[in-house]
Amino acid sequence: MKLHEYQAKGIFAEAGIPIPDSKLAGSVDEVVEAVESIGFPAAIKAQVHVGGRGKAGGIAIVSDVEEARAEADRILGMDLKGYTVNQVLVEQGVDFVDEYYVGVTMDRGEGKPVAMVSTKGGVNIEEVAAEDPDAIAQEHIDPAFGLHPYQARKAVYDAGVPAEYAREVSSILSTLYELYVDNDAADIEINPVMITADDDVIAADAVMNIDEDALFRHPNLAEMEEDSYQSDLERKAGEYGFDYVRLSGNVGIIGNGAGLVMTTLDLVDYYGGKPANFLDIGGGAKAERVTNALDMVFSDENVDAVVFNIFGGITRGDEVAKGINEALESFDEIPKKVVVRLAGTNAKEGMEILNTDLVEVEATLEEAVQRAVKNAKEVSQ
Amino acid sequence: MSIFVDDDTRVVVQGITGGEGKFHTQQMLEYGTNVVAGAVPGKGGQNVDGVPVYDTVDEAVEAEDATASVVFVPPAFAGDAIFEALDTDLDLVVAITEGIPTQDMAKVNKRLSEVDTRLLGPNCPGIITPGEAKLGILPGNIFESGNVGLVSRSGTLTYQVVSNLTDRGIGQTTAIGIGGDPIIGTSFIDALEAFEADTETDAVVMCGEIGGEDEEQAAKFIAEYMDTPVAGFIAGRTAPPGKRMGHAGAIVSGSGTGTADSKIDALNDAGVPVGDTPEEVADAIEDFL
């Protein structure tokens, strides 16, 4: 789960990391009020869960009230890579002489957190990592002990941060690691840490992503999850508790288990179709869950045909069949053709229950996908 | 032969009194697995389907000579349950639980480096040696005893590929789900190494998916150390970057690492044919045998 910049900065500030003066604003008038109290120059920054906001036009530097009004009017309500901007952070403009990167994330390969510092701040750190990995100093952390102070210092020295800022930057890194642990962050970073013309060290941006599996022990963070959905469909999926990703094609896909659903998407593509979504109903789904899944996919206007592929382990074929029947019998006319393939636990019982007047049935995954691709092509032509 | 589990494996089920734990204990018993004990704090003295329950894993091991545990404990308590199992000197711990916080697993991972116990999972379907033992939630009836090893990150994809094999009369030595989380106890390489050493495994299927670099590292291992032929499958070719595809670990990063292409190329370079469909994986295995 991604936090907004203003949310992350609030957490940073509370932990003692210096941030620029800032105010959250949701209307042009609020922006004007904010810049008048903060002063000029000021930055107006869109609060949306999108990387590269600056390049996409979601950040403006303004030097007077007129400009602030015009830019606020432009940014508020704009569409940034599929997200509507409802809030902006109005922030004191900072005259800086240098920019660094400081962050903590999980190194999957090592199975350990890693602290990172680079003097190549202010640019996409993943690009730095790809092009010039030596420019990022890394210290792997033993989670039993945490980040030793010497490690924080070492990372800062190794990165080549000038001596006069080393103490402050390493202190920020240590605080970031504490926040990483205390909040069960998946990753946490400041890019850039700015060295201002007055020799201050401040966090000019803030990224904090929380491990969704740990939200149960952070109710305060869970409350912040309100507006991270990109579309009504994603919101609906969240309410139903599905793992769902919307794609751009027209073949709706429902299945159980991440690997098998991904494989079904890949096969749709392989057989010349275009997947409309990833929808995993999870293990052990009951009839109601199946009905909800069909409702989701039917309500996606891009979907022309559906493939429903279940290989039951803990999921039972008869429960799935019951759910499919219930969902489809509620329609006078089936909105989109559904191809069903049931295998595994209670598949035979499921096939006996399944109302085959309402769905098309195939015995194998490959055949089911090919039929759904054909159905979708017939509709879209 | 087989790897990691066989009919000598004696199993303690952690969380045996919960819904999932109870159901799958019955299934494991039906399959013929030696489930000898359960462990649930506060439930010592009860029994589930004739299996005695103890308050701690330690007591269960002491009383019933358990050699392996299966963890069906809810995510908030699963990290602790795995620690308990690791501190009890078992040979194998199979963690089925999905949704354990990653930082809990980082701590478990640290402990793992200090003990001899093997951890399988978490967020995995478990392990089965057909005809001998099943530890986890895999549907036993689709497996058949034979000479092909299978290792996969995903549960249902394992079932799919196994059924493609079994339908042609190709059985399995052992099938292992290593789990879809970012931090897992047993890697592809661990499983491949064991299959390579197993004299009855004549070919191996490896099913990977997007995210991380385990498949790339496995490819290097195959090229350098394996004589047993391997066929591969990689799920997630059509996954867009930055989106988590169900599994916590199944995500292509913004900078393009963890892609299906990179994994398929690495496997092909190691001489591993990668099927476009599960059926093609079975074709490749049939060619090997």
Side-chain angles (χ1 to χ4, degrees), chain B residues 19-277:
Chain B
E20 300 263 299
K22 201 180 268 182
F23 175 74
H24 289 291
T25 296
Q26 286 161 357
Q27 300 282 310
M28 286 189 275
L29 285 168
E30 247 172 61
Y31 196 74
T33 312
N34 298 319
V35 181
V36 296
V40 181
K43 302 277 168 80
Q46 300 184 4
N47 81 79
V48 171
D49 277 285
V51 176
V53 182
Y54 298 87
D55 286 317
T56 66
V57 175
D58 204 35
E59 283 176 90
V61 170
E62 191 83 357
E64 309 293 344
D65 287 328
T67 60
S69 99
V70 185
V71 179
F72 285 105
V73 173
F77 313 105
D80 185 48
I82 297 172
F83 262 95
E84 184 180 0
L86 293 182
D87 288 347
T88 319
D89 206 24
L90 294 161
D91 298 332
L92 175 70
V93 177
V94 180
I96 306 300
T97 311
E98 176 174 6
I100 303 176
T102 306
Q103 292 195 23
D104 292 3
M105 280 310 301
K107 289 182 187 144
V108 166
N109 192 51
K110 158 74 178 172
R111 187 82 182 104
L112 264 181
S113 66
E114 302 161 348
V115 297
D116 292 328
T117 306
R118 167 172 302 289
L119 172 67
L120 186 58
N123 190 11
C124 80
I127 177 169
I128 184 167
T129 293
E132 298 197 27
K134 166 179 110 151
L135 280 70
I137 62 175
L138 311 113
N141 61 335
I142 61 170
F143 294 87
E144 214 166 84
S145 182
N147 58 350
V148 174
L150 188 139
V151 55
S152 169
R153 273 214 246 175
S154 153
T156 48
L157 179 56
T158 306
Y159 313 158
Q160 173 64 47
V161 175
V162 164
S163 76
N164 288 58
L165 293 173
T166 302
D167 284 351
R168 314 176 174 213
I170 301 173
Q172 303 88 39
T173 44
T174 299
I176 305 175
I178 59 173
D181 272 3
I183 299 179
I184 51 176
T186 295
S187 67
F188 280 118
I189 292 177
D190 297 330
L192 291 170
E193 197 175 13
F195 280 129
E196 173 71 12
D198 177 36
T199 50
E200 274 181 23
T201 299
D202 295 332
V204 179
V205 176
M206 171 184 151
C207 296
E209 64 190 33
I210 52 164
E213 288 176 0
D214 287 5
E215 289 81 357
E216 285 87 338
Q217 281 164 5
K220 276 187 204 152
F221 177 84
I222 293 166
E224 259 184 73
Y225 299 106
M226 286 189 74
D227 292 325
T228 312
V230 180
F233 186 80
I234 299 292
R237 296 173 188 221
T238 48
K243 297 281 186 185
R244 167 174 155 169
M245 305 300 274
H247 281 158
I251 183 164
V252 174
S253 83
S255 63
T257 57
T259 63
D261 282 348
S262 133
K263 293 167 192 299
I264 293 166
D265 289 349
L267 287 167
N268 283 335
D269 286 349
V272 175
V274 178
D276 286 325
T277 66

Side-chain angles (χ1 to χ4, degrees), chain A residues 21-64:
Chain A
D21 253 4
S22 63
K23 278 206 168 84
L24 188 67
S27 69
V28 174
D29 286 344
E30 282 175 20
V31 170
V32 170
E33 203 177 296
V35 286
E36 280 176 339
S37 84
I38 287 170
F40 296 99
I44 300 176
K45 303 161 94 176
Q47 299 298 292
V48 282
H49 296 298
V50 163
R53 284 174 303 171
K55 273 187 199 157
I59 297 179
I61 308 291
V62 297
S63 50
D64 58 45

